[in-house]
Amino acid sequence: MSAPFDLGGYILHHMQDSHQWRLPFLPPLQLPSFLSLHGLMLIIAAIVLIIIFCFVYDKKARVPRRFTNLLELLVIFIRDEIAVKSIGKEDGRRMTPFLCTMFFFILTLNLMGLIPIFSSTATANPNVTGALAFFTLCFMIFGTLYKGGLQGFKNALVPAGVPKGILVILVPIEFFGLFIKTGALMIRLFANMLAGHMVILAMLGLVLLLGFVALPSVILAVCVGVLEIFIAFLQAYIFTMLTAVFIGQMYHPHH
């Protein structure tokens, strides 16, 4: 008698990081010990972005068309609607390359996770999202120190006009709030991408568990997959926007 199908194990197997790249219809590809599957996805995403912006993007076109026009539209949106509005005109323009890199990198990783050949979503790994949030934390702390020195960092943690007795409680809260904000960034992106893929895998796993009776769940999985495309863009936008907001709060604490 065959063992019952383990749906929970099936989902966890496809969500966890590993040293095997399971390609459709092919035997698993063993990765070297120093490189995990999610690490490979990060490298592939970086290569894809380099190819897009160095070779596909038409820098010489006077009137941008098609894909070049889409890229410029996204970059201008990030610069004007996220960076400048959250950090200020001068600092916002300086931070635009970082914010664009963050947006396009997260978006590429999110979309790659929806393609069966990649079979893994790096942004569903808290180590990956934690590393991205760490860059935000570095700009919040070291960027503020570089811009305003110790006095500027102090002004960001000590609200103006607050009685000294309350500052004893408020300053530690503001300081630990830096880590709480970036921790929320990490969890938000990780949890949303993980949950969406778990729902899709659960619906597809029902077919293996129940057979043809569960075929309608495939239609639901396709609908959730289409929704995941929207979520891929949304989560990249939210992460980038909150990064700009948190940095702006540190750079300009009294505005």
Side-chain angles (χ1 to χ4, degrees), residues 81-100:
E81 300 300 323
I82 297 179
V84 172
K85 286 190 175 181
S86 300
I87 312 176
K89 186 174 182 180
E90 182 178 353
D91 293 323
R93 288 181 175 271
R94 290 177 179 175
M95 291 299 301
T96 296
F98 168 71
L99 295 174
C100 285

Side-chain angles (χ1 to χ4, degrees), residues 5 136 211 246:
F5 175 68
T136 300
F246 294 158

Side-chain angles (χ1 to χ4, degrees), residues 146-191:
Y146 175 80
K147 178 179 172 60
L150 291 175
Q151 184 61 39
F153 189 74
K154 175 185 175 183
N155 293 337
L157 297 181
V158 181
V162 177
K164 293 183 179 180
I166 300 179
L167 289 178
V168 177
I169 301 174
L170 191 58
V171 172
I173 293 176
E174 290 287 339
F175 178 75
F176 287 110
L178 301 178
F179 301 92
I180 294 173
K181 289 176 181 178
T182 50
L185 275 181
M186 175 192 74
I187 295 174
R188 181 190 300 272
L189 178 58
F190 148 70

Side-chain angles (χ1 to χ4, degrees), residues 1 9 11 13 33 45 49 55 79 97 100 105 115 120 124 142 153 162 167-168 174 226 232 235 246-247:
M1 183 176 179
I11 294 174
H13 174 73
S33 59
L49 289 177
F55 301 102
R79 183 193 67 188
C100 285
F105 191 61
I115 303 175
S120 180
F142 299 110
F153 189 74
V162 177
L167 289 178
V168 177
E174 290 287 339
V226 174
Q235 290 305 315
F246 294 158
I247 293 174

Side-chain angles (χ1 to χ4, degrees), residues 87-245:
I87 312 176
K89 186 174 182 180
E90 182 178 353
D91 293 323
R93 288 181 175 271
R94 290 177 179 175
M95 291 299 301
T96 296
F98 168 71
L99 295 174
C100 285
T101 301
M102 191 74 76
F103 174 82
F104 285 109
F105 191 61
I106 293 173
L107 177 61
T108 303
L109 290 173
N110 290 348
L111 294 177
M112 283 172 54
L114 300 177
I115 303 175
I117 190 174
F118 293 110
S119 69
S120 180
T121 305
T123 44
N125 186 333
N127 296 316
V128 174
T129 58
L132 294 172
F134 175 73
F135 285 106
T136 300
L137 179 63
C138 288
F139 274 98
M140 292 172 66
I141 296 176
F142 299 110
T144 304
L145 290 171
Y146 175 80
K147 178 179 172 60
L150 291 175
Q151 184 61 39
F153 189 74
K154 175 185 175 183
N155 293 337
L157 297 181
V158 181
V162 177
K164 293 183 179 180
I166 300 179
L167 289 178
V168 177
I169 301 174
L170 191 58
V171 172
I173 293 176
E174 290 287 339
F175 178 75
F176 287 110
L178 301 178
F179 301 92
I180 294 173
K181 289 176 181 178
T182 50
L185 275 181
M186 175 192 74
I187 295 174
R188 181 190 300 272
L189 178 58
F190 148 70
N192 277 280
M193 301 312 300
L194 179 68
H197 286 72
M198 287 186 68
V199 170
I200 293 176
L201 289 172
M203 291 180 177
L204 295 177
L206 287 176
V207 179
L208 300 176
L209 182 65
L210 302 176
F212 291 104
V213 178
L215 278 179
S217 66
V218 176
I219 300 176
L220 293 177
V222 172
C223 294
V224 174
V226 174
L227 180 63
E228 280 289 283
I229 298 176
F230 168 74
I231 293 176
F233 281 87
L234 179 64
Q235 290 305 315
Y237 164 74
I238 290 176
F239 194 100
T240 307
M241 181 193 66
L242 290 179
T243 293
V245 170

